[in-house]
Amino acid sequence: PYICGTLIDESADSEDITATIVDLAIRGYLKITEVKKKSLFSDAEFLFTKTDIYKTKDKYGLNAFEEDVLAKMFDGENEVSTEGLKKSFSSDSLKLKNSVYDEIVELNYFFTNPQTVRQVWLTIGVIALFTVNIPLGIMCLIFGKFMPRKTEKGVEAKIQILGLKKFLSSQERQLTFQEENWFLF
């Protein structure tokens, strides 16, 4: 999920890390339990618990990033709440995002780190504005976020991801019809 999210918007977001946590729960490495319901003034609170698969160190199928996410989430504990994650995990999120960028470059989806490319163009734009080259500064600031360049492999992967998303969204009506009429396979 974190690679797909980063390929789509060229940015490693907190949503990508959250999607990875949910994916790890689906694959059985942790269990997510709702502890407190969401009220008008507070968010819902969840409890994350290590499962037997994680405890026995049977990490078949986990890559380095997923292992880092789990290690930073639990930090030696067997359970952690969302309240506990807000305090400890937020400081580690920048490191995790940087490791996502390193991995997508290593997997040959981007030529260079997209975040670094955006920062270079932002710096050029700010310098141009300070040197009173206003058109160049404005252009760099506006178009700098679109400057990260994918490799051919990265473009093909993004097309496949968007194609799958479009297919799944187009099937919603058909699946709803099958659910209502019991035509499930």
Side-chain angles (χ1 to χ4, degrees), residues 8 53 73 91 98 133 146 162:
I8 295 297
I53 295 173
M73 266 184 75
S91 63
N98 286 332
N133 192 343
F146 303 111
L162 291 175

Side-chain angles (χ1 to χ4, degrees), residues 19-31:
T20 301
I21 293 171
V22 172
D23 179 58
L24 290 169
I26 290 169
R27 291 169 35 201
Y29 289 96
L30 61 113
K31 183 179 177 186

Side-chain angles (χ1 to χ4, degrees), residues 13-184:
D13 305 312
S14 298
E15 291 86 8
D16 301 334
I17 296 172
T18 304
T20 301
I21 293 171
V22 172
D23 179 58
L24 290 169
I26 290 169
R27 291 169 35 201
Y29 289 96
L30 61 113
K31 183 179 177 186
I32 303 173
T33 310
E34 187 173 11
V35 178
K36 186 173 76 173
K37 296 270 187 206
K38 186 175 184 178
S39 68
L40 184 61
F41 300 107
S42 68
D43 294 331
E45 188 167 329
F46 295 93
L47 183 68
F48 302 94
T49 310
K50 289 181 184 178
T51 61
D52 292 334
I53 295 173
Y54 183 77
K55 289 179 185 175
T56 59
K57 303 290 186 198
D58 179 20
K59 295 182 180 163
Y60 175 75
L62 287 182
N63 59 33
F65 176 75
E66 293 168 332
E67 287 182 23
D68 284 347
V69 168
L70 288 171
K72 289 180 186 343
M73 266 184 75
F74 291 108
D75 196 28
E77 302 291 325
N78 285 329
E79 290 184 340
V80 66
S81 67
T82 49
E83 199 61 38
L85 283 179
K86 285 179 186 176
K87 297 173 186 169
S88 65
F89 201 63
S90 61
S91 63
D92 294 325
S93 67
L94 183 61
K95 293 176 188 171
L96 288 171
K97 289 175 185 178
N98 286 332
S99 69
V100 170
Y101 289 130
D102 293 341
E103 187 171 343
I104 61 173
V105 170
E106 184 180 310
L107 290 171
N108 199 26
Y109 289 124
F110 283 88
F111 289 105
T112 58
N113 183 330
Q115 187 63 25
T116 305
V117 171
R118 281 190 289 274
Q119 288 173 346
V120 165
W121 283 102
L122 178 69
T123 304
I124 292 171
V126 170
I127 291 171
L129 288 175
F130 278 123
T131 59
V132 194
N133 192 343
I134 300 203
L136 176 63
I138 292 173
M139 296 302 277
C140 288
L141 293 175
I142 291 173
F143 293 109
K145 73 179 211 174
F146 303 111
M147 291 308 223
R149 198 175 93 183
K150 291 181 188 71
T151 62
E152 186 176 337
K153 180 181 176 183
V155 172
E156 289 173 2
K158 181 178 178 179
I159 290 170
Q160 290 175 352
I161 293 165
L162 291 175
L164 177 63
K165 180 181 177 183
K166 187 171 185 174
F167 171 75
L168 291 175
S169 66
S170 71
Q171 296 302 306
E172 185 175 339
R173 189 179 71 150
Q174 180 65 27
L175 293 173
T176 304
F177 174 78
Q178 288 179 357
E179 271 183 40
E180 291 170 356
N181 296 302
W182 295 87
F183 293 137
L184 298 174

